[in-house]
Amino acid sequence: MRLLFSIGAVLVAGMLAGADVAGLAAPGPRHQPQRQAADGDAQSVDVELILAVDVSYSMDMDELAIQREGYAQAIQSKEFLQALKAGPNGRIAVTYFEWAASTDQKIIIPWRLIEGPESADAVAGEIMKTPIRRASRTSISGAIGFAMPLFDEDPYHGLRRVIDISGDGPNNNGGPVTLARDAALEKGIVINGLPIMVKEPSYSTMDIDNLDYYYEDCVVGGPGSFVIAIKDREKFKEAIRTKLLMEVAGRTPEHPVVRIADKEPRVNCMIGEKIWSDRWGR
C-alpha cells in the first residue's frame, strides 16, 4: 500500500511538538521488519536509510540551502533523537548523496552510524560543510539505481532498508523510473518520496502539475511507503523532519489519503521524458 499526504495533514502536532514520540516509534503489526538482524549483533541497526537529494538546476540556490539545513537540523532535533532511542536497537545507519543526471551522483556522507547526539551532530556537520552544487538533468531512476548497491556496502545490518528520494521534477533522463522502482522493491527495499512543489510549474524548468501524484504512482513503493508533498516553502524543514521521524520509527500517519491499489496511474510515468523530447526533439 502506498500512502500520500500533504505536510499540513501529517501528525505534526504530535510528532513535532514534543508529544509522545516514543509511543509513535514502535512499528505496528502492519509494518513488520523486512529483515531480521541477529540478536546481540553489534552491527544491527533499526534502519539502513539512504537520503537521495536532488540538486538539478530546477532547484534554486535558496531551495538547495534550505534542503541542506533541513536535513542537518532534523538529524539533530530532540524529536529525532527520541525516536531513535525508542527503536529496538536505538541506532540507525545513514548515507546521504546528491543526484542529477543518470551518471551524476555524489556521496556527501558515506555510511555513518547515528546512535545519539554526538554522532548526530557529526553527520549534520558534514552535511552543512559541503559546498552546495547544481547539475543538469533529473534522473530519479539513476538515483535509485545508484542507491541499491550501496546497501551491499553498508557494514551495518538493518531491520529495514529505505531509499528516501527528494526532488522537484519528474524523471527525464536515464531508464524509466518505474523499472528502477520495481527492481528496488524486488530486493525488499522501501522507497519514500519528498516531492518539492514550492514553485509554480514552469516550461523552462520542465516542472509538472501534481508532482505528488507522480511520486506516488511512479516513484515510491514497498510496505508502508509514503509521500510528503512540500507545497509551502515555509514548511520545507518541517516536512523533512516529519519524514525522517517516520522513517526512523517505521511508521506512517494514522489518517493518510490512500490511493486504491489497483487504480490506473493518475499521471503518465514517462511525462518527464516526453517533455524533454518535445522541447529538444530527442
Side-chain angles (χ1 to χ4, degrees):
M1 179 180 292
R2 300 176 194 167
L3 308 177
L4 173 67
F5 51 98
S6 170
I7 182 61
V10 197
L11 305 175
V12 176
M15 294 175 64
L16 300 184
D20 186 11
V21 176
L24 175 72
R30 293 185 299 110
H31 302 124
Q32 295 299 322
Q34 298 166 342
R35 310 169 70 222
Q36 295 295 328
D39 291 340
D41 186 348
Q43 300 298 96
S44 295
V45 295
D46 296 324
V47 61
E48 297 171 64
L49 178 61
I50 295 178
L51 303 175
V53 179
D54 181 10
V55 293
S56 60
Y57 278 114
S58 56
M59 295 278 290
D60 63 42
M61 293 300 291
D62 184 50
E63 288 174 334
L64 292 174
I66 294 173
Q67 185 171 237
R68 281 276 188 92
E69 292 169 6
Y71 279 106
Q73 291 176 12
I75 289 169
Q76 293 175 297
S77 71
K78 175 184 67 177
E79 295 84 4
F80 176 86
L81 294 172
Q82 287 175 339
L84 181 74
K85 282 305 178 186
N89 294 293
R91 54 189 179 175
I92 68 169
V94 64
T95 186
Y96 180 110
F97 75 85
E98 296 175 338
W99 59 271
S102 61
T103 57
D104 188 338
Q105 299 90 23
K106 180 180 179 181
I107 294 177
I108 305 300
I109 308 292
W111 285 109
R112 294 281 189 270
L113 183 68
I114 300 181
E115 54 187 344
E118 185 175 337
S119 51
D121 289 346
V123 170
E126 286 187 69
I127 291 174
M128 290 303 297
K129 75 181 183 182
T130 305
I132 292 174
R133 74 183 185 101
R134 300 167 79 193
S136 62
R137 304 298 295 269
T138 299
S139 183
I140 301 173
S141 60
I144 295 173
F146 180 81
M148 285 191 286
L150 294 181
F151 288 115
D152 297 328
E153 302 170 10
D154 183 11
Y156 303 100
H157 311 297
L159 300 178
R160 293 172 286 122
R161 286 179 160 180
V162 177
I163 300 173
D164 182 325
I165 300 278
S166 65
D168 71 341
N171 194 78
N172 63 35
N173 179 243
V177 67
T178 52
L179 295 183
R181 175 200 63 194
D182 292 347
L185 300 190
E186 287 178 3
K187 295 178 178 291
I189 297 167
V190 170
I191 303 175
N192 296 326
L194 188 77
I196 301 165
M197 306 167 65
V198 298
K199 298 191 296 282
E200 288 295 323
S202 166
Y203 175 80
S204 62
T205 55
M206 293 184 289
D207 300 326
I208 62 170
D209 291 316
N210 301 319
L211 183 64
D212 47 357
Y213 292 171
Y214 175 88
Y215 260 70
E216 197 210 19
D217 292 350
C218 309
V219 178
V220 307
S225 59
F226 61 84
V227 168
I228 293 182
I230 306 178
K231 299 182 180 181
D232 182 346
R233 191 179 292 263
E234 299 303 314
K235 300 289 187 180
F236 210 127
K237 294 180 181 179
E238 183 180 292
I240 292 173
R241 183 167 42 172
T242 301
K243 175 177 59 64
L244 287 181
L245 282 176
M246 291 192 296
E247 286 166 336
V248 169
R251 295 296 298 270
T252 52
E254 296 194 8
H255 302 291
V257 177
V258 181
R259 183 176 69 86
I260 299 173
D262 59 357
K263 184 178 179 180
E264 287 297 319
R266 292 160 291 184
V267 295
N268 178 358
C269 291
M270 296 293 290
I271 189 171
E273 289 86 346
K274 183 179 185 306
I275 293 173
W276 183 271
S277 177
D278 290 347
R279 181 173 178 181
W280 298 106
R282 62 179 187 274

